[in-house]
Amino acid sequence: MLLRTTALALAALPGAALAATIELGPRPYYLIDRMEDGALKDKLMACTDMDMQASPFSIGHRGAPLMFPEHTVESNRAAARMGAGILECDVTFTADKELVCRHAQNDLHTTTDILASDLASKCSTPFTGALGDTPASVECRTSDITLAEFQTLTGKMDAGNDQGETVEAYMDATAGWRTDLYSAMGGTLMTHAESIALFDELGADFTPELKSPSVEMPFDGFSQADYAQKMIDEYKDAGIAPNRVWPQSFNLEDVLYWVENEPEFGAQAVFLVEWSDGFDEQNAETWNEDFAALVEQGVNYLAPSINMLVTVKDGAVAASDYAKAAKDAGLNLITWTLERSGPLTTGGGWYYQSVADVVDNDADYFTVLDVLAQDVGVEGVFSDWPATVTYYANCMAQGM
């Protein structure tokens, strides 16, 4: 435990100085160089010599996991260096009901080295290698282990090869458009409380997401309400002002719990929604009923996935009717996640399915971002590489 505490301290101490000096690196400029000629490219090109500042419009999605292991100290330090004014800890809990940062309660087998450790035997579904047409199977939950055991793990790039016949083959699965360059030494995992201290040290604000449990609730007497309350209590214990926190959940009941029981935090509670097979972009009557109900219940922030907010009109990326209806209802919009699901040269994956016919160049990240900012009117954009959003926010005075 002493070694872990020392590692976290060494990682966090330089935080404030790092956050004060924004270093975007070459990627935003690389993307701008490859944009089609036009007014947007001209505007972005005119900002190449700007001194960049951190912006709340730029939100680090699990840190900067395009290249760093997600939800680690290193990933979030990188995001802060790139000007992310808000950082995210996805919150789940351990066997002893302590809060930690993981994207899901059951992702330890893809995001950490647990399978290569002595803790592998504690996984809900121990590893079985692929055999013939049968894929590998494994599931390791934070609730399988204690906080002390969690703190012995290190983070890796989120990936698992379901055709792997061995643990080594299963773990060696990072996508070709990502990298293992910054994970070779392992990433430093964090408790939720440690993330609060780190983000505050880095000068960033907070957007924790209460993740849906993989275990049946209540868990050993720990109810969903206890879980939602404990997350907020850790901000109160750390003396963090409620206006610096945007708590998130896909579970509307969590959001309404905060609105009712922690109204100062609930005022900025974010209801997350995502594209589903039943999503109908034209069902405006249903949207308006849903949006009106949310506003009536005190929900002020809605966070749809990018594919819900943009569509194709007249052969170009445009704001969707869904996005316009949400804004007309008085909801503040946040969206996720830029630079997440693969290169736009090959369609961009799930996040860009609504505009896949008109995006074919990674420079189109800026095209989509411009529509989200100017036509949709989002308050902030999650990104796996915050430098791109930070550049745009500074150039366009977005959220500054």
Side-chain angles (χ1 to χ4, degrees), residues 198-388:
L198 176 65
F199 299 174
D200 194 37
E201 180 75 21
L202 291 170
D205 288 337
F206 315 85
T207 186
E209 181 188 338
L210 196 74
K211 303 303 296 189
S212 296
S214 298
V215 295
E216 185 176 347
M217 300 293 277
F219 175 75
D220 190 25
F222 189 54
S223 70
Q224 187 69 24
D226 293 335
Y227 180 30
Q229 185 63 52
K230 184 166 185 171
M231 188 181 87
I232 298 301
D233 285 345
E234 294 198 345
Y235 289 94
K236 295 166 73 173
D237 292 345
I240 302 298
N243 65 0
R244 295 183 61 196
V245 184
W246 284 262
Q248 314 169 71
S249 180
F250 279 99
N251 180 1
L252 181 58
E253 293 307 310
D254 294 335
V255 175
L256 296 179
Y257 175 88
W258 296 321
V259 169
E260 181 177 353
N261 295 281
E262 290 287 352
E264 289 188 292
F265 289 90
Q268 293 187 162
V270 181
F271 180 38
L272 293 155
V273 291
E274 63 183 329
W275 182 292
S276 65
D277 290 340
F279 178 68
D280 179 1
E281 189 191 345
Q282 304 308 315
N283 196 358
E285 182 178 351
T286 300
W287 303 336
N288 290 330
E289 291 173 358
D290 291 345
F291 297 153
L294 288 174
V295 172
E296 177 68 22
Q297 293 174 97
V299 178
N300 296 317
Y301 286 85
L302 184 71
S305 49
I306 286 174
N307 44 29
M308 299 177 74
L309 297 182
V310 292
T311 190
V312 177
K313 294 182 181 179
D314 299 324
V317 179
S320 69
D321 292 341
Y322 176 91
K324 293 176 182 178
K327 289 293 289 186
D328 288 345
L331 290 163
N332 299 300
L333 298 180
I334 297 169
T335 195
W336 48 282
T337 302
L338 205 74
E339 300 181 270
R340 173 69 190 167
S341 58
L344 296 188
T345 52
T346 54
W350 184 85
Y351 290 89
Y352 298 91
Q353 58 187 292
S354 61
V355 292
D357 291 344
V358 296
V359 295
D360 59 5
N361 178 342
D362 279 8
D364 288 331
Y365 281 124
F366 275 118
T367 303
V368 173
L369 185 54
D370 190 56
V371 170
L372 290 168
Q374 306 305 324
D375 299 337
V376 175
V378 297
E379 304 284 326
V381 178
F382 282 87
S383 178
D384 274 17
W385 200 247
T388 304

